[in-house]
Short mmCIF file of all heavy atoms in Angstrom, two decimals:
data_model
loop_
_atom_site.label_atom_id
_atom_site.label_comp_id
_atom_site.label_asym_id
_atom_site.label_seq_id
_atom_site.Cartn_x
_atom_site.Cartn_y
_atom_site.Cartn_z
N ALA U 25 -1.72 -6.08 21.69
CA ALA U 25 -3.14 -6.26 21.37
C ALA U 25 -3.48 -5.70 19.99
O ALA U 25 -4.17 -6.35 19.20
CB ALA U 25 -4.00 -5.59 22.44
N GLN U 26 -2.96 -4.52 19.69
CA GLN U 26 -3.23 -3.90 18.39
C GLN U 26 -2.58 -4.70 17.25
O GLN U 26 -3.20 -4.91 16.19
CB GLN U 26 -2.69 -2.47 18.37
CG GLN U 26 -3.00 -1.72 17.08
CD GLN U 26 -2.52 -0.27 17.15
OE1 GLN U 26 -2.23 0.26 18.22
NE2 GLN U 26 -2.45 0.37 16.00
N ALA U 27 -1.35 -5.14 17.47
CA ALA U 27 -0.66 -5.93 16.45
C ALA U 27 -1.37 -7.26 16.21
O ALA U 27 -1.47 -7.73 15.08
CB ALA U 27 0.79 -6.17 16.89
N LEU U 28 -1.90 -7.85 17.28
CA LEU U 28 -2.62 -9.11 17.18
C LEU U 28 -3.89 -8.92 16.35
O LEU U 28 -4.27 -9.79 15.55
CB LEU U 28 -2.95 -9.62 18.58
CG LEU U 28 -3.36 -11.08 18.76
CD1 LEU U 28 -2.35 -12.03 18.16
CD2 LEU U 28 -3.58 -11.37 20.24
N GLU U 29 -4.55 -7.78 16.51
CA GLU U 29 -5.73 -7.48 15.68
C GLU U 29 -5.36 -7.36 14.21
O GLU U 29 -6.14 -7.74 13.34
CB GLU U 29 -6.38 -6.17 16.17
CG GLU U 29 -7.36 -6.35 17.29
CD GLU U 29 -8.19 -5.09 17.52
OE1 GLU U 29 -8.54 -4.40 16.54
OE2 GLU U 29 -8.47 -4.80 18.70
N GLU U 30 -4.18 -6.83 13.95
CA GLU U 30 -3.75 -6.61 12.56
C GLU U 30 -3.44 -7.90 11.82
O GLU U 30 -3.84 -8.05 10.65
CB GLU U 30 -2.50 -5.72 12.52
CG GLU U 30 -2.74 -4.26 12.80
CD GLU U 30 -1.44 -3.48 12.65
OE1 GLU U 30 -0.85 -3.50 11.56
OE2 GLU U 30 -1.02 -2.87 13.65
N VAL U 31 -2.72 -8.81 12.46
CA VAL U 31 -2.22 -9.97 11.71
C VAL U 31 -2.70 -11.32 12.26
O VAL U 31 -2.45 -12.36 11.64
CB VAL U 31 -0.67 -9.98 11.67
CG1 VAL U 31 -0.15 -8.75 10.95
CG2 VAL U 31 -0.06 -10.08 13.07
N GLY U 32 -3.38 -11.33 13.39
CA GLY U 32 -3.87 -12.59 13.94
C GLY U 32 -2.77 -13.43 14.58
O GLY U 32 -1.62 -12.99 14.71
N TYR U 33 -3.14 -14.63 14.98
CA TYR U 33 -2.19 -15.51 15.67
C TYR U 33 -1.20 -16.14 14.70
O TYR U 33 -1.54 -16.43 13.55
CB TYR U 33 -2.93 -16.64 16.39
CG TYR U 33 -3.89 -16.18 17.45
CD1 TYR U 33 -5.27 -16.26 17.24
CD2 TYR U 33 -3.44 -15.68 18.67
CE1 TYR U 33 -6.17 -15.86 18.21
CE2 TYR U 33 -4.33 -15.27 19.65
CZ TYR U 33 -5.70 -15.36 19.42
OH TYR U 33 -6.58 -14.95 20.39
N PRO U 34 0.01 -16.38 15.16
CA PRO U 34 0.99 -17.10 14.31
C PRO U 34 0.70 -18.59 14.31
O PRO U 34 0.07 -19.12 15.23
CB PRO U 34 2.32 -16.80 15.01
CG PRO U 34 1.95 -16.65 16.46
CD PRO U 34 0.59 -16.01 16.47
N ASP U 35 1.18 -19.25 13.28
CA ASP U 35 1.10 -20.71 13.25
C ASP U 35 2.17 -21.31 14.15
O ASP U 35 3.19 -20.69 14.42
CB ASP U 35 1.31 -21.23 11.82
CG ASP U 35 0.16 -20.88 10.90
OD1 ASP U 35 -0.99 -20.81 11.39
OD2 ASP U 35 0.40 -20.68 9.70
N GLU U 36 1.92 -22.53 14.58
CA GLU U 36 2.94 -23.29 15.30
C GLU U 36 4.13 -23.53 14.38
O GLU U 36 3.96 -23.78 13.19
CB GLU U 36 2.33 -24.62 15.74
CG GLU U 36 3.20 -25.49 16.60
CD GLU U 36 2.46 -26.75 17.03
OE1 GLU U 36 1.31 -26.64 17.50
OE2 GLU U 36 3.03 -27.84 16.87
N ARG U 37 5.33 -23.43 14.92
CA ARG U 37 6.53 -23.55 14.07
C ARG U 37 7.43 -24.70 14.53
O ARG U 37 8.64 -24.59 14.58
CB ARG U 37 7.30 -22.23 14.05
CG ARG U 37 6.46 -21.10 13.44
CD ARG U 37 7.18 -19.79 13.37
NE ARG U 37 8.32 -19.81 12.46
CZ ARG U 37 9.02 -18.72 12.14
NH1 ARG U 37 8.69 -17.54 12.65
NH2 ARG U 37 10.05 -18.81 11.32
N ARG U 38 6.81 -25.81 14.82
CA ARG U 38 7.54 -26.98 15.28
C ARG U 38 8.32 -27.63 14.14
O ARG U 38 7.83 -27.74 13.01
CB ARG U 38 6.56 -28.01 15.86
CG ARG U 38 7.22 -29.14 16.63
CD ARG U 38 6.23 -30.24 16.95
NE ARG U 38 5.05 -29.75 17.63
CZ ARG U 38 4.55 -30.28 18.74
NH1 ARG U 38 5.14 -31.30 19.31
NH2 ARG U 38 3.44 -29.80 19.28
N ARG U 39 9.54 -28.07 14.41
CA ARG U 39 10.36 -28.71 13.39
C ARG U 39 10.48 -30.22 13.57
O ARG U 39 11.31 -30.85 12.95
CB ARG U 39 11.76 -28.09 13.42
CG ARG U 39 11.83 -26.66 12.94
CD ARG U 39 12.38 -26.57 11.53
NE ARG U 39 12.12 -25.28 10.91
CZ ARG U 39 12.89 -24.21 11.08
NH1 ARG U 39 13.94 -24.26 11.87
NH2 ARG U 39 12.60 -23.09 10.45
N GLY U 40 9.68 -30.81 14.42
CA GLY U 40 9.81 -32.24 14.67
C GLY U 40 10.81 -32.50 15.79
O GLY U 40 11.30 -31.58 16.44
N ASP U 41 11.11 -33.75 16.02
CA ASP U 41 12.04 -34.10 17.10
C ASP U 41 13.42 -33.48 16.86
O ASP U 41 13.85 -33.34 15.71
CB ASP U 41 12.17 -35.62 17.21
CG ASP U 41 10.89 -36.28 17.70
OD1 ASP U 41 10.11 -35.59 18.37
OD2 ASP U 41 10.68 -37.47 17.38
N PRO U 42 14.14 -33.11 17.94
CA PRO U 42 15.47 -32.51 17.79
C PRO U 42 16.37 -33.41 16.97
O PRO U 42 16.43 -34.62 17.20
CB PRO U 42 15.96 -32.40 19.24
CG PRO U 42 14.74 -32.43 20.07
CD PRO U 42 13.75 -33.26 19.34
N SER U 43 17.09 -32.84 16.01
CA SER U 43 17.88 -33.67 15.11
C SER U 43 19.07 -32.92 14.54
O SER U 43 19.16 -31.69 14.60
CB SER U 43 17.00 -34.16 13.95
OG SER U 43 16.65 -33.07 13.11
N TYR U 44 19.96 -33.68 13.94
CA TYR U 44 21.10 -33.14 13.19
C TYR U 44 20.61 -32.20 12.09
O TYR U 44 21.20 -31.15 11.85
CB TYR U 44 21.89 -34.30 12.61
CG TYR U 44 22.90 -33.94 11.55
CD1 TYR U 44 24.10 -33.30 11.87
CD2 TYR U 44 22.65 -34.25 10.20
CE1 TYR U 44 25.02 -32.97 10.89
CE2 TYR U 44 23.57 -33.94 9.22
CZ TYR U 44 24.75 -33.29 9.56
OH TYR U 44 25.66 -32.98 8.59
N GLU U 45 19.53 -32.58 11.43
CA GLU U 45 18.97 -31.75 10.36
C GLU U 45 18.65 -30.35 10.85
O GLU U 45 18.88 -29.36 10.15
CB GLU U 45 17.70 -32.41 9.81
CG GLU U 45 17.00 -31.58 8.75
CD GLU U 45 15.65 -32.17 8.34
OE1 GLU U 45 15.38 -33.35 8.66
OE2 GLU U 45 14.86 -31.44 7.71
N HIS U 46 18.11 -30.24 12.07
CA HIS U 46 17.77 -28.92 12.61
C HIS U 46 19.01 -28.05 12.75
O HIS U 46 18.98 -26.85 12.45
CB HIS U 46 17.11 -29.07 13.99
CG HIS U 46 15.79 -29.77 13.94
ND1 HIS U 46 15.08 -30.09 15.06
CD2 HIS U 46 15.05 -30.20 12.90
CE1 HIS U 46 13.96 -30.69 14.72
NE2 HIS U 46 13.93 -30.79 13.42
N PHE U 47 20.11 -28.65 13.21
CA PHE U 47 21.34 -27.88 13.38
C PHE U 47 21.90 -27.44 12.02
O PHE U 47 22.40 -26.34 11.88
CB PHE U 47 22.37 -28.69 14.15
CG PHE U 47 22.12 -28.72 15.62
CD1 PHE U 47 21.55 -29.82 16.24
CD2 PHE U 47 22.45 -27.62 16.41
CE1 PHE U 47 21.31 -29.83 17.60
CE2 PHE U 47 22.21 -27.62 17.78
CZ PHE U 47 21.63 -28.73 18.37
N LEU U 48 21.79 -28.32 11.04
CA LEU U 48 22.24 -27.96 9.70
C LEU U 48 21.40 -26.81 9.15
O LEU U 48 21.92 -25.87 8.53
CB LEU U 48 22.13 -29.19 8.80
CG LEU U 48 22.95 -29.19 7.51
CD1 LEU U 48 24.43 -29.02 7.80
CD2 LEU U 48 22.69 -30.50 6.74
N ARG U 49 20.12 -26.84 9.42
CA ARG U 49 19.23 -25.76 8.98
C ARG U 49 19.61 -24.43 9.64
O ARG U 49 19.55 -23.38 9.01
CB ARG U 49 17.78 -26.14 9.32
CG ARG U 49 16.74 -25.22 8.71
CD ARG U 49 15.35 -25.60 9.18
NE ARG U 49 14.90 -26.86 8.64
CZ ARG U 49 14.23 -26.99 7.50
NH1 ARG U 49 13.96 -25.93 6.76
NH2 ARG U 49 13.81 -28.18 7.09
N ILE U 50 20.00 -24.49 10.91
CA ILE U 50 20.40 -23.27 11.62
C ILE U 50 21.66 -22.68 10.98
O ILE U 50 21.76 -21.46 10.79
CB ILE U 50 20.62 -23.57 13.12
CG1 ILE U 50 19.27 -23.79 13.80
CG2 ILE U 50 21.37 -22.42 13.80
CD1 ILE U 50 19.36 -24.37 15.20
N ILE U 51 22.63 -23.52 10.65
CA ILE U 51 23.84 -23.03 9.99
C ILE U 51 23.48 -22.32 8.69
O ILE U 51 23.95 -21.20 8.41
CB ILE U 51 24.82 -24.19 9.70
CG1 ILE U 51 25.45 -24.70 10.99
CG2 ILE U 51 25.92 -23.74 8.73
CD1 ILE U 51 26.28 -25.95 10.81
N VAL U 52 22.64 -22.94 7.89
CA VAL U 52 22.24 -22.35 6.61
C VAL U 52 21.58 -20.99 6.82
O VAL U 52 21.81 -20.04 6.07
CB VAL U 52 21.29 -23.30 5.84
CG1 VAL U 52 20.71 -22.61 4.61
CG2 VAL U 52 22.02 -24.58 5.43
#
Side-chain angles (χ1 to χ4, degrees):
Q26 183 176 344
L28 196 54
E29 274 192 37
E30 285 184 59
V31 298
Y33 299 108
D35 291 328
E36 185 177 312
R37 297 181 66 173
R38 192 191 307 229
R39 290 258 165 84
D41 292 335
S43 68
Y44 166 74
E45 177 187 345
H46 295 175
F47 282 102
L48 199 58
R49 190 184 291 270
I50 287 168
I51 289 172
V52 172

